[in-house]
Amino acid sequence: GNADAVADAETREPSSAASSALLASDGESSGLACNTGSIGHPSLCSRPCLYFATGQCANGESCEFCHMAHAKRSPHLNKQHREQLRDMDRARAKALILPIVRAKALAFDASEGTALAVERLAAACGVPGASRVHLSRSERSLSVALGGMNLRLLLITLQRAALHGEAAAEAAAEALLT
């Protein structure tokens, strides 16, 4: 049952034991769907495997793409939001994105380990744990769009927008992805 699926997933990916446990407990787990790319579904998994959906995935359990059902395409930032984020000061981008990362990470896994990883990321970014920023109308729109993204996409967006060259912050973000 679920215990076997969790043990099997933990054997393949020991650094993602919490993600694997969630995957096995969400009721969608099956022998065919438990693959590397599905770990952490839906918050941390990769995008869906196009070949699995047609029954033609040759990579099986080693496939890096998700074999679980996705309700819809993951939200992405539109051109206006991408430009806004690109033009934004790094500190402002971190202050905008980190509260969303914190909320999504703790909703995904409320363990002490996750809370510590989030706080390490905030500290490495120089953003205090309880920081709240006043948002302009356009920043509120961007914040809503960011809030619709899954945790994996949000962390990747944070890395691309505000963490280049900041080794400690990049490592802290990467720790949440694994």
Side-chain angles (χ1 to χ4, degrees), residues 86-160:
R86 184 191 65 225
D87 295 341
M88 191 178 288
D89 176 70
R90 282 178 150 191
R92 184 73 174 172
K94 291 175 195 175
L96 179 69
I97 298 171
L98 277 169
I100 302 167
V101 167
R102 178 180 288 109
K104 286 189 177 280
L106 294 175
F108 173 70
D109 177 11
S111 71
E112 185 177 336
T114 299
L116 288 172
V118 169
E119 293 315 312
R120 276 193 292 271
L121 175 60
C125 289
V127 177
S131 78
R132 299 277 303 174
V133 294
H134 177 73
L135 303 176
S136 68
R137 179 181 223 170
S138 64
E139 288 173 333
R140 280 194 304 274
S141 173
L142 175 58
S143 180
V144 168
L146 290 166
M149 298 169 75
N150 73 23
L151 182 57
R152 179 181 186 79
L153 289 175
L154 196 55
L155 285 165
I156 291 169
T157 300
L158 175 64
Q159 287 176 318
R160 290 179 180 165

Side-chain angles (χ1 to χ4, degrees), residues 6 33 47 53 60 68 85 101 138 160 175:
V6 171
R47 67 178 187 241
M68 305 290 281
L85 198 54
V101 167
S138 64
R160 290 179 180 165

